[in-house]
């Protein structure tokens, strides 16, 4: 089980690298006007771009992708941006679509977004956020005897 988790973490890192490269290409080929892009919420636009890249990967590699899934969590819900299911296991992916510089470590509870040298936004550590998503999904799969 530990090897599977380590393998999944390595694949997630690889996907982030692939996404970064693909994002540069997408930006060059973007045909949307600034006004059209401005109509969409920034986070959802980023999630859409990641979803497109994951679908391409999934089709080519016999995987399945689930995007924007809401799961129950402590009387509320949590949203998982993307789940990629393949022979390698299950990957839970959190997407952030932000500009500027991002400061934070794996152990920091909050990360900071800086734009033009000024603090713009403080946000919950996405690694912690994704840890919650993974635990929630794992709990539901065990509860439904799908582990």
């Amino acid at each position: 089980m530990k090897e599977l988790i380590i393998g999944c973490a390595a694949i997630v890192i690889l996907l982030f690298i692939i996404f970064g490269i693909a994002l540069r290409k997408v930006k060059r080929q973007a045909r949307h006007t600034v006004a059209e892009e401005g109509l969409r919420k920034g986070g959802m636009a980023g999630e859409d771009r990641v979803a497109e890249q994951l679908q391409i990967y999934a089709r080519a590699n016999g995987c399945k992708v689930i995007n924007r899934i809401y799961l129950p969590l402590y009387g509320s819900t949590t949203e998982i941006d993307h789940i990629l299911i393949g022979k390698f296991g299950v990957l839970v992916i959190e997407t952030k679509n932000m500009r500027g510089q991002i400061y934070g470590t794996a152990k920091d509870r909050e990360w900071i977004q800086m734009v033009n040298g000024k603090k713009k936004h403080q946000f919950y550590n996405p690694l912690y956020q994704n840890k919650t998503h993974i635990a929630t999904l794992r709990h539901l799969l065990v509860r439904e005897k799908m582990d």
Side-chain angles (χ1 to χ4, degrees), residues 74-139:
Y74 305 121
S76 187
T77 60
T78 186
E79 178 192 8
I80 297 177
D81 293 338
H82 317 280
I83 300 174
L84 181 65
I85 304 165
K87 294 176 186 175
F88 48 77
V90 178
L91 297 181
V92 178
I93 303 167
E94 175 62 27
T95 301
K96 296 294 181 204
N97 184 30
M98 305 173 115
R99 62 187 179 104
Q101 296 80 38
I102 306 299
Y103 296 96
T105 69
K107 293 183 179 182
D108 291 335
R109 180 175 165 78
E110 301 286 326
W111 286 9
I112 297 171
Q113 176 191 21
M114 303 284 286
V115 178
N116 299 324
K118 297 179 184 174
K119 181 177 174 181
K120 179 173 181 184
H121 180 62
Q122 192 166 336
F123 58 98
Y124 187 58
N125 181 335
L127 300 173
Y128 288 179
Q129 185 180 5
N130 212 39
K131 219 175 196 180
T132 300
H133 293 159
I134 292 166
T136 302
L137 182 59
R138 181 180 291 128
H139 170 76

Side-chain angles (χ1 to χ4, degrees), residues 5-131:
I5 293 170
I6 292 170
C8 288
I11 292 172
V12 168
I13 292 168
L14 180 61
L15 283 171
F16 276 115
I17 292 168
I18 292 169
F19 172 69
I21 294 167
L23 182 59
R24 286 186 190 149
K25 186 176 180 181
V26 167
K27 282 183 177 181
R28 285 188 211 122
Q29 296 175 347
R31 295 175 191 210
H32 299 292
T33 66
V34 174
E36 288 172 333
E37 189 66 22
L39 294 174
R40 303 184 75 205
K41 290 184 178 179
M44 290 180 76
E47 288 177 22
D48 289 345
R49 290 191 297 268
V50 173
E52 289 170 13
Q53 294 302 311
L54 288 173
Q55 283 293 1
I56 292 168
Y57 176 85
R59 273 188 238 114
N61 294 283
C63 301
K64 297 291 181 195
V65 178
I66 303 170
N67 298 299
R68 289 193 189 114
I69 183 169
Y70 290 85
L71 299 177
L73 178 67
Y74 305 121
S76 187
T77 60
T78 186
E79 178 192 8
I80 297 177
D81 293 338
H82 317 280
I83 300 174
L84 181 65
I85 304 165
K87 294 176 186 175
F88 48 77
V90 178
L91 297 181
V92 178
I93 303 167
E94 175 62 27
T95 301
K96 296 294 181 204
N97 184 30
M98 305 173 115
R99 62 187 179 104
Q101 296 80 38
I102 306 299
Y103 296 96
T105 69
K107 293 183 179 182
D108 291 335
R109 180 175 165 78
E110 301 286 326
W111 286 9
I112 297 171
Q113 176 191 21
M114 303 284 286
V115 178
N116 299 324
K118 297 179 184 174
K119 181 177 174 181
K120 179 173 181 184
H121 180 62
Q122 192 166 336
F123 58 98
Y124 187 58
N125 181 335
L127 300 173
Y128 288 179
Q129 185 180 5
N130 212 39
K131 219 175 196 180

